[in-house]
């Protein structure tokens, strides 16, 4: 995977002045919400694999294309839809990487009781082979718990290069964990959910309630691992507020955090980010390098889809000027 310079922290990112770049449309599968996208560059174009649903909140994954990373044309039908018992009420929150001509898509399968992290593969982004839940007995909300028992897992970000001779994934909603693989299909957690995770919620911070893996991790120019993550606080009235953080991790010890941001690098500001199906949410799942810039794609309050830009070497004020 080719990309531009990667240093910690990555950014600053400036939200696009024409956000949201995608919103609900029509009266069928994407008429209610369009959000939480994965992203990958294919032949110098950005492909977005985004979550969408009607008012029934049964999620599908749609596909859209852009030459500039900002203006997208959508394909008419979803490319991944509920079909199995484990995802019969939703294929949610995709992340994607491309390795040796194959796309590896992690997503959350929802059966209205459990959310389980699942894997699908494709060679064209349109026809997908489902490989089922990856960690069917794992509860990523440990050690803090979520008030219920039973398995639960979301959010899988695969590092697009081997680490210590094996493929590495960061996964989890609630807390963040690691898993390894020899073939990119079968994954084994490095510890059980009764042992300490890589990262758990930090009391009194912007990750007080939960942390969750963002897009695919990156290898920095110094050889370290950069992990963008989502974080949430829970208010007294039960509502939540989602922002985004970054971690720097040692490659030889992938469970060792070397540094982390103490303030969010992306947070709800605009009306779309403050009001929606779930209000006060900026939720990052897509990150690509296109020509001279980093583009990060995120859900706005579980309703619409936005993009933010970082151009290395540019002045922050330059990114605020109309294009």
């Amino acid at each position: 995977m080719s990309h531009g310079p990667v240093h910690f922290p990555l950014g600053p990112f400036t939200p696009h002045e024409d956000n949201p770049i995608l919103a609900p449309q029509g009266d069928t599968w994407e008429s209610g919400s369009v959000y939480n996208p994965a992203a990958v560059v294919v032949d110098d174009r950005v492909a977005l694999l985004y979550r969408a649903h009607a008012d029934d909140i049964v999620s599908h994954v749609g596909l859209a294309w852009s030459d500039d990373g900002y203006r997208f044309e959508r394909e008419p039908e979803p490319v991944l839809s509920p079909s199995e018992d484990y995802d019969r009420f939703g294929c949610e929150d995709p992340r994607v990487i491309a390795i040796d001509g194959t796309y590896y898509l992690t997503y959350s399968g929802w059966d209205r009781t459990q959310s389980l992290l699942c894997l699908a593969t494709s060679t064209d982004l349109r026809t997908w082979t489902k490989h089922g839940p990856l960690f069917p007995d794992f509860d990523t909300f440990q050690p803090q718990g979520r008030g219920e028992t039973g398995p639960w897992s979301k959010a899988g970000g695969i590092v697009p290069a081997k680490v210590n001779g094996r493929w590495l994934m960061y996964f989890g909603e609630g807390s963040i964990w690691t898993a390894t693989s020899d073939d990119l299909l079968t994954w084994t957690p490095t510890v059980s959910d009764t042992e300490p995770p890589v990262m758990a919620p930090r009391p009194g911070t912007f990750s007080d309630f939960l942390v969750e893996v963002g897009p695919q991790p990156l290898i920095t120019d110094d050889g370290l691992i950069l992990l963008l993550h989502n974080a949430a606080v829970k208010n007294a009235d039960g509502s939540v507020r989602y922002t985004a953080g970054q971690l720097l991790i040692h490659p030889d010890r992938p469970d060792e955090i070397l540094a982390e941001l103490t303030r969010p690098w992306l947070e709800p500001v605009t009306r779309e980010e403050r009001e929606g199906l779930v209000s006060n949410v900026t939720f990052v799942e897509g990150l690509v390098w296109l020509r001279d810039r980093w583009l990060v794609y995120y859900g706005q309050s579980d309703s619409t889809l936005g993009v933010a830009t970082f151009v290395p070497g540019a002045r922050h004020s330059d990114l605020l000027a109309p294009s």
Side-chain angles (χ1 to χ4, degrees):
M1 174 179 287
S2 62
H3 55 64
V6 184
H7 302 284
F8 174 84
L10 193 66
F13 283 87
T14 301
H16 188 48
E17 60 184 3
D18 291 330
N19 281 340
I21 57 171
L22 286 183
Q25 68 175 12
D27 58 6
T28 58
W29 65 277
E30 57 179 337
S31 59
S33 292
V34 170
Y35 57 118
N36 291 11
V40 65
V41 173
V42 182
D43 297 329
D44 207 34
R45 302 174 72 204
V46 178
L48 274 190
L49 292 152
Y50 60 91
R51 178 182 176 183
H53 56 71
D55 290 342
D56 60 5
I57 315 184
V58 175
S59 294
H60 306 255
V61 175
L63 177 61
W65 296 89
S66 174
D67 292 322
D68 64 4
Y70 303 102
R71 293 167 292 186
F72 282 85
E73 293 186 4
R74 301 184 229 197
E75 299 201 355
E77 300 298 328
V79 295
L80 190 71
S81 293
S83 63
E84 311 299 322
D85 284 346
Y86 57 78
D87 66 10
R88 63 184 179 274
F89 289 112
C91 298
E92 303 179 351
D93 296 350
R95 281 88 166 164
V96 70
I97 62 165
I99 296 176
D100 296 333
T102 297
Y103 299 100
Y104 295 85
L105 181 85
T106 56
Y107 71 97
S108 300
W110 174 236
D111 67 2
R112 290 189 177 162
T113 300
Q114 299 168 333
S115 181
L116 297 177
L117 183 62
C118 302
L119 178 70
T121 55
S122 174
T123 56
D124 63 5
L125 295 176
R126 296 182 178 89
T127 301
W128 293 90
T129 299
K130 293 181 178 180
H131 300 277
L134 294 176
F135 314 116
D137 302 317
F138 207 100
D139 181 5
T140 61
F141 262 93
Q142 299 305 316
Q144 71 273 25
R146 57 186 175 92
E148 299 180 26
T149 59
W152 186 276
S153 57
K154 283 187 175 185
I158 300 172
V159 181
K162 287 185 177 181
V163 177
N164 296 330
R166 307 187 77 188
W167 297 105
L168 176 68
M169 175 193 296
Y170 289 87
F171 73 99
E173 177 198 35
S175 293
I176 293 175
W177 311 76
T178 57
T180 57
S181 176
D182 292 321
D183 61 4
L184 289 163
L185 299 178
T186 302
W187 293 85
T188 303
T190 55
V191 299
S192 72
D193 57 5
T194 62
E195 299 176 69
V198 175
M199 184 185 190
R202 306 281 205 252
T205 71
F206 67 95
S207 59
D208 182 272
F209 175 55
L210 64 80
V211 288
E212 181 173 346
V213 172
Q216 79 284 356
L218 300 175
I219 304 297
T220 71
D221 293 355
D222 298 324
L224 305 176
I225 298 171
L226 175 66
L227 178 67
L228 279 60
H229 68 88
N230 298 292
V233 296
K234 196 168 189 177
N235 302 314
D237 62 1
S239 63
V240 293
R241 184 175 190 267
Y242 276 85
T243 59
Q246 296 185 29
L247 302 177
L248 191 64
I249 299 171
H250 198 293
D252 295 328
R253 298 180 294 278
D255 59 349
E256 180 181 327
I257 297 173
L258 300 178
E260 63 181 276
L261 289 184
T262 58
R263 295 186 299 174
W265 59 272
L266 185 69
E267 57 188 327
V269 174
T270 66
R271 180 184 61 81
E272 290 85 2
E273 294 158 3
R274 290 178 169 175
E275 300 175 10
L277 181 64
V278 179
S279 297
N280 293 308
V281 174
T282 49
F283 195 87
V284 175
E285 289 186 26
L287 174 67
V288 297
W289 171 261
L290 185 69
R291 302 185 193 107
D292 66 343
R293 64 192 57 202
W294 288 102
L295 298 167
V296 67
Y297 296 94
Y298 58 98
Q300 301 174 296
S301 291
D302 285 15
S303 300
T304 52
L305 192 157
V307 61
T309 303
F310 165 49
V311 181
R315 294 178 303 170
H316 189 61
S317 58
D318 291 342
L319 301 180
L320 297 174
S323 57

